[in-house]
Amino acid sequence: TRLQGDWSSDVCSSDLTNMRALALATALSAFLVAGAARPAAAQPHDFGADARTMYRVVACAGDAPLPAGVDARTIEAHCKSVRPWYEMVTRRYVTPARELFAKLRPASLPKTVVYPFGGGDLLSALITYPDATEITTVSLEHAGDPTRITAATPRQLKAALGVYRGAARALLTNHDSASENMQKLERGAVPGQLSFFITALAALGYEPVSLKFFTLQADGTLHYLDAKEIAALADTQARRKKKSWVDTDFSEAFTNSELTFRKAGDPKAPLVTHRHIAANLANNAFPGSPLAKHLEAKGKVATMTKAASYLLWLSNFSGIRDYLLAHSAWMISDSTGIPPRHARRAGFKQTTYGKFAGSYLGASAAENDAFRKLWEEQPRRKLKFRYGYPDSEGNVHLMITEPKAVP
């Protein structure tokens, strides 16, 4: 501290040096004592072991021993059904999609991906953006409780795996998930979203490393839950994010997940982070929310959406549509993506693949006309796989939405 006042001129230099040294030592001592007294921050609880159990028991990947109490015959019968699906999805979807997207993706794309309305579909995110280091999916569904696999009775687990297979087969066959399947898996011993995420890892040759849960702060930053916080929320049930959806039967702690993973069998492979956030993206919930702030803080991102019930066509989802137009460096979608009039107004161009004759679900006649015109005005570009919904006549299709080149 600088000495001030008339008396300072009467202090000899050696005394002044000693006084300064004493003041500095006193301040440093107080700082160290305060630091020692402050409790260490609690560490986020890591459910990585539970994720690896799901990888073995639900996704039928790896060769780790089954956990105690899990019936081997049940899992053997389950995996006999599941494993052939991986070859099927590789042949019908993974291989042709990777070949096409490798030709289409700009080299300078951000490695951060945002996928709204992406319930359970980590598979498509990894196929579309294989170089991504961070992926965020957002949907109405909660991540789910990973501890229920080993807590379930043999009968409960057998029944839950049957429900999972019905939904997973649709995911791997159609490359997206029907809402009714997602709702079924909001309850029971096999958590729906997490099971789909870990199934995607198994199908594409990845393995889970860690699994944590978090909440969003008011400013959009993440707060990871520690063991005490998770225990305190044990009796607080996770509620539906939309009136017409369903409540879960597990704790609110298991709403938002962060799953890290890497190429299977390679401990030195780089980690990829996938976060799933359960949220309603309608205008009465999204604009100005912690989720909106969290996504906006990422800056320019690669984006995608598919099988999104044509919600981006609606005025009451303009907030998430405006976010995509403001932050997309490059976007891929089926016809449930950005309508042409909004894309043009924001300075984007759209390139079509496959064929579009009309919306798969009932939707705006005006937007349908605009999409038909968009496809009719462009040369026919072949598409060898389903990406989201087919059109009203069963045709597969997709489109790229990207900023127009600046002269």
Side-chain angles (χ1 to χ4, degrees):
T1 302
R2 182 179 180 181
L3 297 176
Q4 296 181 349
D6 293 341
W7 63 273
S8 62
S9 60
D10 297 327
V11 180
C12 70
S13 61
S14 60
D15 289 340
L16 182 57
T17 300
N18 291 337
M19 291 173 64
R20 284 174 174 165
L22 178 62
L24 179 60
T26 302
L28 180 59
S29 176
F31 176 77
L32 293 174
V33 169
R38 187 182 300 117
Q43 294 297 309
H45 188 73
D46 190 351
F47 291 85
D50 297 284
R52 288 185 285 277
T53 294
M54 292 183 65
Y55 186 69
R56 173 68 180 88
V57 172
V58 180
C60 301
D63 55 3
L66 291 174
V70 174
D71 181 61
R73 288 181 298 178
T74 296
I75 303 309
E76 182 181 356
H78 166 69
C79 292
K80 188 176 180 180
S81 296
V82 169
R83 287 189 177 120
W85 297 347
Y86 296 146
E87 185 279 329
M88 174 196 68
V89 74
T90 298
R91 173 173 45 84
R92 295 175 52 180
Y93 182 34
V94 177
T95 299
R98 280 178 170 170
E99 289 175 356
L100 177 63
F101 297 153
K103 299 173 185 176
L104 301 182
R105 279 190 311 270
S108 59
L109 271 186
K111 293 187 177 182
T112 300
V113 175
V114 173
Y115 183 0
F117 313 108
D121 193 20
L122 178 59
L123 180 78
S124 291
L126 288 169
I127 294 169
T128 307
Y129 298 111
D131 297 325
T133 56
E134 178 191 312
I135 299 169
T136 301
T137 55
V138 184
S139 70
L140 293 170
E141 297 84 19
H142 301 73
D145 181 353
T147 68
R148 289 190 163 192
I149 299 295
T150 52
T153 66
R155 185 176 180 178
Q156 289 172 332
L157 182 58
K158 183 176 181 179
L161 288 172
V163 175
Y164 159 79
R165 285 195 301 276
R169 182 171 178 81
L171 172 70
L172 296 173
T173 301
N174 299 328
H175 322 144
D176 54 65
S177 301
S179 296
E180 55 268 27
N181 287 332
M182 305 305 285
Q183 291 182 21
K184 290 176 185 176
L185 290 171
E186 286 281 76
R187 296 169 175 267
V190 175
Q193 295 296 287
L194 283 175
S195 65
F196 282 174
F197 301 150
I198 290 173
T199 295
L201 303 189
L204 298 175
Y206 294 96
E207 62 184 5
V209 175
S210 72
L211 174 62
K212 301 171 186 175
F213 294 87
F214 62 88
T215 59
L216 286 170
Q217 306 282 68
D219 63 356
T221 55
L222 305 182
H223 170 73
Y224 292 91
L225 299 177
D226 60 37
K228 287 185 178 179
E229 291 171 315
I230 289 169
L233 290 169
D235 295 327
T236 305
Q237 184 178 338
R239 298 294 183 182
R240 69 191 76 183
K241 296 295 183 179
K242 181 183 177 182
K243 187 176 181 181
S244 61
W245 215 243
V246 293
D247 289 330
T248 75
D249 61 357
F250 50 77
S251 164
E252 183 181 331
F254 303 114
T255 295
N256 307 318
S257 62
E258 179 182 284
L259 178 67
T260 63
F261 54 93
R262 65 189 172 208
K263 282 293 183 182
D266 184 1
K268 295 182 179 180
L271 289 177
V272 182
T273 299
H274 167 244
R275 296 189 184 98
H276 175 71
I277 300 174
N280 187 342
L281 292 172
N283 284 356
N284 62 355
F286 176 69
S289 67
L291 172 58
K293 294 173 184 177
H294 174 72
L295 296 181
E296 288 162 359
K298 298 179 185 298
K300 290 291 184 180
V301 292
T303 61
M304 59 181 290
T305 200
K306 56 199 269 297
S309 300
Y310 302 95
L311 298 177
L312 290 174
W313 292 23
L314 304 179
S315 59
N316 58 329
F317 284 85
S318 61
I320 184 62
R321 187 175 63 225
D322 290 345
Y323 163 79
L324 290 170
L325 289 170
H327 293 84
S328 291
W330 196 77
M331 181 177 181
I332 189 166
S333 71
D334 59 1
S335 57
T336 64
I338 306 289
R341 62 191 176 98
H342 297 292
R344 284 195 302 268
R345 190 178 302 139
F348 284 75
K349 66 177 182 178
Q350 294 177 304
T351 307
T352 62
Y353 292 80
K355 185 178 179 181
F356 179 81
S359 58
Y360 177 66
L361 305 176
S364 162
E367 302 294 12
N368 262 293
D369 288 342
F371 273 102
R372 276 190 289 267
K373 183 179 180 182
L374 181 69
W375 257 264
E376 290 168 358
E377 290 178 343
Q378 298 191 26
R380 177 76 178 275
R381 301 178 181 92
K382 291 184 179 181
L383 187 63
K384 298 180 180 179
F385 54 89
R386 174 173 166 169
Y387 196 78
Y389 293 150
D391 74 350
S392 58
E393 297 180 353
N395 300 304
V396 295
H397 64 281
L398 64 79
M399 66 179 183
I400 308 295
T401 301
E402 58 187 327
K404 293 179 181 177
V406 178

